[in-house]
Amino acid sequence: MNIVILGAGLMGRLLACALARAGHTLNVYDAAAADSRRAAAFAAAAMLAPLAESAVAEDTVVRMGQYGLTRWPALIAELDAPVFFQQQGTLVVWHRQDAAEAQRFGQLLAATAKRLPSLPPQKTLDAAGLNQLEPGMGAHFAQGLYLPGEGQLDNHQLMDALLAQLQRLQVTLHWNTSRSPGDFAPGQSGQPDWVLDCRGLGAQPQWPGLRGVRGEIITLHAPNVTLSRPTRLIHPRYPIYIAPKQDGYFLVGATEIESDDTSPMSVRSALELLSAAYTVDSGFGEARIVELVAQCRPTLPDNLPAVRRLGARCLQVNGLYRHGYLIAPAMLDVVLQLMQGERSALADEFELSCPPDVVGSTSVDHGGCKSALQESEARQSVLPDVREPA
């Protein structure tokens, strides 16, 4: 089949690689340049932490995250270039003045574990337990939580490896080329067989209610810091994380700020993030600041992901919010199942199923995106929306 993918971010690249390996002809369109780091996928720590995220995420996202942890090793193994992947758990710490917030956080995780017993249970640590996991940590914190089995990967390495794979598979890449679903009529003569819209915030004109949620990340080079696993610091306003990567690099970030502002990081944010890192390990005082990044993640009104159908052969994938790397493998496999002309068993498992689409019969019969867009633009996604192809 001849397939068009709009957007060369995380979902666009994953789908293009999977479909190209299956022997399909791919054309990928992206509004940015080939060397751009503007996509939300580059402004992420790529932590794979379903239990940690359960404090602010629905059980649907948590289950998708569990699935993603099992799928990422296989997805990475299919790539030619190496991608850092680690599964040594998540550490959660807090200062004495934030003990009440930490207690609330722990209660939320415990409630999730009761609902989803397949999750590894959290472990409460004292100073000695902290030192056993991360030497020296007990000198700064008296208590902590350990969430076993959680992981992370290097998002920059992954995005570069996916791009190299697309080039090796001879996928046609159209950079600096903005396209929308309305530019195509899949299934008609001279048109692609399928159109998959993975543009993130670029889809706002066609998806009312889609908004940006700002994330900010500082990359530090601190070769003398020995922190070996993702660490979350309970903070009065929002959780702050430190994600160690290879060769002494660390990502320090705040998980969410309700704003669609994509301007550079403010002094206040930088000071807050750097101060937090310093309180976790004073070795960060001698770190070198490599990069400061601020970007917005595409988010739907319910903060849940969705797959929406604009026609019999036109799917929109969006709303991965702050959970992009956590849930991307699940979203990938759901879309691939829907393209096979069957109801997605994974969509049912993740409670992503919805009633049959109400797009007008004329647009569905012709398999086009253009006329369906007019009706779809008036509808907002209230729940994760996976439609069964005609």
Side-chain angles (χ1 to χ4, degrees):
M1 290 193 296
N2 185 350
I3 300 170
V4 162
I5 293 180
L6 308 180
L10 176 61
M11 282 307 307
R13 294 187 192 195
L14 284 173
L15 279 165
C17 278
L19 292 166
R21 288 193 201 99
H24 302 295
T25 300
L26 271 294
N27 280 269
V28 178
Y29 295 85
D30 196 278
D35 59 352
S36 173
R37 291 291 190 262
R38 196 175 68 187
F42 289 102
M47 295 182 296
L48 313 175
L51 180 55
E53 284 299 296
S54 73
V56 293
E58 300 285 346
D59 287 354
T60 291
V61 171
V62 178
R63 289 199 301 273
M64 295 173 78
Q66 286 182 277
Y67 178 88
L69 268 172
T70 67
R71 282 284 283 129
W72 272 120
L75 291 171
I76 291 172
E78 293 173 334
L79 302 173
D80 297 329
V83 175
F84 169 73
F85 175 84
Q86 177 200 72
Q87 200 169 350
Q88 297 184 24
T90 298
L91 192 62
V92 182
V93 294
W94 57 88
H95 296 293
R96 185 173 302 163
Q97 64 269 25
D98 298 320
E101 182 63 23
Q103 183 180 21
R104 188 187 75 85
F105 183 86
Q107 290 171 345
L108 289 171
L109 301 194
T112 301
K114 287 183 178 180
R115 296 192 304 273
L116 303 175
S118 60
L119 284 167
Q122 61 178 313
K123 298 180 180 180
T124 302
L125 303 174
D126 57 13
L130 288 170
N131 280 332
Q132 187 174 1
L133 284 178
E134 298 290 349
M137 184 71 74
H140 301 283
F141 301 97
Q143 289 183 301
L145 296 174
Y146 175 58
L147 314 182
E150 300 199 323
Q152 63 161 325
L153 56 81
D154 189 306
N155 58 316
H156 283 239
Q157 288 181 0
L158 177 70
M159 292 291 284
D160 290 344
L162 287 169
L163 178 57
Q165 193 82 349
L166 293 177
Q167 292 167 338
R168 187 182 69 78
L169 293 169
Q170 298 184 332
V171 170
T172 303
L173 301 166
H174 305 268
W175 302 106
N176 298 306
T177 307
S178 179
R179 294 288 185 270
S180 73
D183 296 327
F184 304 93
Q188 296 186 13
S189 177
Q191 291 289 316
D193 297 293
W194 277 90
V195 172
L196 305 177
D197 183 4
C198 307
R199 291 174 296 154
L201 287 174
Q204 279 183 310
Q206 291 81 38
W207 202 320
L210 183 64
R211 74 188 194 280
V213 175
R214 180 179 171 97
E216 299 177 328
I217 291 179
I218 300 177
T219 301
L220 301 176
H221 187 227
N224 295 324
V225 174
T226 60
L227 193 66
S228 63
R229 55 179 50 80
T231 300
R232 297 186 181 227
L233 176 67
I234 300 295
H235 185 274
R237 291 200 294 123
Y238 41 70
I240 290 176
Y241 57 77
I242 302 172
K245 305 301 181 182
Q246 289 179 305
D247 302 323
Y249 287 92
F250 296 81
L251 300 186
V252 183
T255 54
E256 63 174 305
I257 302 172
E258 277 290 343
S259 170
D260 59 2
D261 177 19
T262 58
S263 64
M265 187 180 298
S266 69
V267 170
R268 183 178 70 177
S269 290
L271 288 173
E272 197 166 62
L273 293 176
L274 293 172
S275 296
Y278 183 75
T279 64
V280 171
D281 191 316
S282 59
F284 283 115
E286 297 302 318
R288 296 299 182 258
I289 298 174
V290 178
E291 187 179 32
L292 293 87
V293 175
Q295 188 53 270
C296 289
R297 295 121 179 204
T299 310
L300 292 168
D302 57 4
N303 293 345
L304 292 173
V307 178
R308 189 172 74 156
R309 211 179 85 186
L310 295 182
R313 292 177 172 269
C314 186
L315 296 174
Q316 284 187 302
V317 186
N318 218 315
L320 274 65
Y321 183 33
R322 56 187 262 177
H323 312 301
Y325 287 91
L326 181 67
I327 66 175
M331 296 297 288
L332 166 69
D333 290 347
V334 164
V335 172
L336 293 177
Q337 286 185 357
L338 290 172
M339 292 182 69
Q340 293 171 2
E342 61 185 60
R343 189 173 187 85
S344 169
L346 278 175
D348 293 338
E349 178 183 340
F350 301 136
E351 299 180 8
L352 293 172
S353 299
C354 287
D357 202 345
V358 295
V359 172
S361 59
T362 301
S363 61
V364 171
D365 290 341
H366 289 291
C369 298
K370 295 181 179 179
S371 56
L373 273 171
Q374 297 176 351
E375 296 182 45
S376 296
E377 286 176 354
R379 304 198 315 268
Q380 293 188 11
S381 175
V382 178
L383 292 172
D385 190 357
V386 177
R387 316 301 176 92
E388 183 178 4

